[in-house]
Amino acid sequence: GLKTLEGRDSLQQTYSTIMSTIRGSIPEFPEDGVPDYVFGSNKNIIQYPIIFRSLLSIIQKDKRFTGLELLDINKDQDSVFMDFQATTIVGDNLTNSIAI
């Protein structure tokens, strides 16, 4: 069934959605999101600054967030994970990891 989220749960869902947005997937905002070519590419040529700037751009458009920080980059066999933390206007910190 359908579940309605409120408060921190709703904000966490929004943050998770932002972190998984691929450029071009939102018709109203075709420039928002991470370019799809960075996913599944060779881990030696991943363009980390492009990923960070893309996510930061979306976060800055949402007035519920005041910042985004890259916490860590982890390599595990053939996968690369980027760990992020967003700060909300009420001072909460939300974390999320994306796999590249």
Side-chain angles (χ1 to χ4, degrees):
L2 203 51
K3 183 178 178 183
T4 303
L5 299 177
E6 295 178 4
R8 185 175 168 83
D9 290 337
S10 176
L11 200 53
Q12 180 66 51
Q13 182 183 43
T14 298
Y15 177 54
S16 295
T17 300
I18 287 172
M19 299 304 286
S20 63
T21 299
I22 303 298
R23 184 168 293 154
S25 64
I26 305 172
E28 299 84 14
F29 305 102
E31 295 303 312
D32 285 354
V34 177
D36 62 353
Y37 64 82
V38 301
F39 296 100
S41 62
N42 182 320
K43 69 180 179 179
N44 296 320
I45 60 169
I46 294 172
Q47 299 175 357
Y48 299 105
I50 290 174
I51 296 168
F52 182 77
R53 282 194 307 267
S54 298
L55 296 171
L56 180 60
S57 175
I58 300 174
I59 287 287
Q60 289 174 332
K61 290 179 182 181
D62 191 320
K63 301 302 180 203
R64 296 173 290 181
F65 297 100
T66 59
L68 181 69
E69 180 182 356
L70 175 61
L71 298 176
D72 199 9
I73 298 173
N74 301 298
K75 294 180 181 180
D76 183 15
Q77 296 178 6
D78 291 335
S79 297
V80 176
F81 299 92
M82 294 178 74
D83 299 328
F84 292 92
Q85 177 176 281
T87 304
T88 68
I89 59 171
V90 296
D92 287 340
N93 293 317
L94 305 174
T95 58
N96 197 315
S97 182
I98 60 171
I100 302 167

